[in-house]
Amino acid sequence: MKTTDIGIDLGSSKTVIFSDSKILLELPSVVTVDTDTWHPVYFGEKAYQTYGRTPESLTCVHPIQNGVIADLDLAEAMLTNYMKACFGKKIVRPRVMASLPTGVTELQHHSLTQVVEAAGGRNVTVIENPIAVAIALNLDFNNPKGNLIVDMGAGTTNIATVSMGGIAQCDSFKIAGNTFDELIEKYVKKEYNIEIGPLTSEHIKKQLASVVKRPIEVTITAKGKNAVTGLPESFEITSNEIYDIVIEPALSICNAIRKVLEKTDPDIVADIMNNGIYLTGGTALMNGMSELLEEYFGTKVFVDSDPIHSVVKGAARALNHPELLGNMDFQHRSIKELTIE
Ligand SMILES: Nc1ncnc2c1ncn2[C@@H]1O[C@H](COP(=O)(O)OP(=O)(O)OP(=O)(O)O)[C@@H](O)[C@H]1O
Ligand SMILES: [Mg+2]
């Protein structure tokens, strides 16, 4: 693969650029802007660190929400900055395969293509997350045998049954990693009268969250701000408390998967029961997630060895192996072709 061929995953929490079997860039999809002018001040890691900590003069923005572009101008400014970080001042216009959730509108396809082209991409093509995952996992999905792919990210859970080189049934479900963080934040406010920021709630989640009961209770100490006095305060929180918070949204995800299976042809469902479920995305790393799904569906669950990068790896691979896209209507579409009259 030439370094001028890249996969881009413009995710709700992270942007990843992948080429030549390596990650060229991985940064938070966050921009800090001047509150008055909406002019970008920080991108990426620095912007992420201001999340929940900005003074009034600055605002922290996530230009990608639920897997799609929510702020076109800031998404473009952010990706332009990231492409410059990858390619410097070299006159490189890489060919790009960019990923997006399943079942989104033509307008959202168009916005993504527009942003990637404006940021310096050439011959931009988009690929739906589950197809990218199928390619990254080397699944032979061009035959009639069915597979189930679940990509659990920060802003979306993408669920798709794939067969004959395409998507049989799918859903892009808004309960995902961010939902767990928000529920932890609400719980701490209600139970302890302490306000915590989004970085703290995500830290608590990564340390303690488990969707199966842990045999031994674990406790951590975290810091926040007393909701009444406004003063800093430490508190202890246990894995059992977090289990009670996270189990409900985790079961909602199981239910959404069940609904996709209900709409899928019985023979494909039978294949899935034999083949198992393929799990990717950062939220797949939550303790007990694969066990919960195995128990719920009574089939094997495979978590990719590098689940956070499955989508971007598959996108980059698909760009250089269009034959893998088999029956799909694959073509490079320029921005002009996609422009909606
Ligand atoms: N060990 C972990 N335990 C629980 N959650 C985790 C863990 N590691 C990462 N996550 C969560 O995974 C999510 C990020 O996953 P990922 O990078 O796949 O999302 P994304 O691609 O940016 O978002 P999306 O696909 O929804 O647009 C975040 O919510 C993060 O908190
Ligand atoms: Mg993702």
Side-chain angles (χ1 to χ4, degrees):
M1 186 186 236
K2 293 168 276 175
T3 43
T4 48
D5 287 342
I6 57 173
I8 298 182
D9 179 1
L10 214 48
S12 312
S13 72
K14 253 189 282 179
T15 298
V16 189
I17 302 181
F18 188 85
S19 172
D20 234 358
S21 315
K22 63 174 184 288
I23 292 164
L24 298 183
L25 175 137
E26 178 164 17
L27 286 174
S29 302
V30 186
V31 185
T32 307
V33 297
D34 180 302
T35 307
D36 291 332
T37 62
W38 219 244
H39 195 79
V41 181
Y42 305 123
F43 296 99
E45 209 52 64
K46 210 158 177 195
Y48 177 74
Q49 291 307 328
T50 68
Y51 188 26
R53 296 184 173 129
T54 42
E56 266 181 29
S57 59
L58 297 175
T59 304
C60 203
V61 183
H62 287 76
I64 316 298
Q65 281 176 24
N66 301 120
V68 294
I69 292 170
D71 186 319
L72 206 61
D73 291 343
L74 288 183
E76 185 182 316
M78 181 182 79
L79 192 62
T80 303
N81 181 283
Y82 292 174
M83 292 281 267
K84 276 200 188 127
C86 280
F87 300 106
K89 291 201 176 95
K90 281 181 267 173
I91 309 166
V92 181
R93 277 180 70 81
R95 283 200 311 153
V96 181
M97 179 76 85
S99 62
L100 91 180
T102 49
V104 300
T105 64
E106 191 65 19
L107 188 66
Q108 284 159 337
H109 272 243
H110 177 254
S111 300
L112 179 63
T113 312
Q114 189 183 341
V115 162
V116 178
E117 287 205 348
R122 174 172 59 92
N123 286 352
V124 180
T125 321
V126 289
I127 185 167
E128 290 178 271
N129 285 351
I131 298 294
V133 169
I135 289 171
L137 297 179
N138 236 341
L139 297 183
D140 182 7
F141 70 106
N142 277 312
N143 62 36
K145 288 250 184 270
N147 285 293
L148 173 62
I149 291 163
V150 182
D151 179 63
M152 300 179 166
T156 49
T157 296
N158 271 263
I159 306 159
T161 50
V162 296
S163 172
M164 297 292 287
I167 290 174
Q169 292 293 336
C170 65
D171 188 18
S172 176
F173 190 58
K174 290 196 173 111
I175 294 189
N178 290 343
T179 315
F180 298 98
D181 304 352
E182 285 155 17
L183 290 173
I184 292 171
E185 210 173 314
K186 274 193 196 142
Y187 172 85
V188 172
K189 172 96 190 286
K190 188 160 169 267
E191 286 301 309
Y192 296 94
N193 215 11
I194 291 175
E195 288 172 2
I196 54 170
L199 301 191
T200 305
S201 57
E202 188 184 21
H203 175 74
I204 294 173
K205 174 184 76 175
K206 286 187 178 172
Q207 295 295 311
L208 289 186
S210 175
V211 290
V212 293
K213 276 237 154 113
R214 288 181 191 270
I216 301 167
E217 191 177 41
V218 184
T219 304
I220 63 164
T221 305
K223 285 194 191 103
K225 183 179 96 170
N226 187 297
V228 180
T229 63
L231 295 172
E233 195 169 318
S234 295
F235 62 100
E236 285 195 340
I237 190 157
T238 69
S239 52
N240 284 354
E241 289 172 275
I242 299 295
Y243 170 83
D244 290 338
I245 301 168
V246 298
I247 190 64
E248 211 172 294
L251 289 173
S252 299
I253 293 175
C254 291
N255 198 35
I257 299 171
R258 190 176 57 76
K259 284 190 178 147
V260 170
L261 287 173
E262 274 170 13
K263 289 188 287 175
T264 304
D265 288 343
D267 283 347
I268 296 182
V269 175
D271 294 337
I272 291 164
M273 287 304 132
N274 286 331
N275 296 346
I277 300 172
Y278 295 89
L279 208 57
T280 59
T283 302
L285 291 169
M286 188 176 287
N287 192 59
M289 196 56 91
S290 55
E291 288 95 318
L292 178 76
L293 265 64
E294 279 182 353
E295 191 166 316
Y296 192 100
F297 293 102
T299 184
K300 279 248 148 288
V301 173
F302 305 97
V303 182
D304 190 17
S305 54
D306 182 18
I308 292 184
H309 302 125
S310 319
V311 166
V312 78
K313 285 178 178 171
R317 187 152 182 250
L319 185 57
N320 268 38
H321 297 278
E323 73 284 358
L324 295 174
L325 291 165
N327 300 339
M328 294 194 72
D329 174 25
F330 173 82
Q331 55 176 331
H332 290 301
R333 292 194 288 179
S334 73
I335 188 77
K336 285 181 206 73
E337 288 171 89
L338 276 167
T339 301
I340 296 163
E341 299 296 335

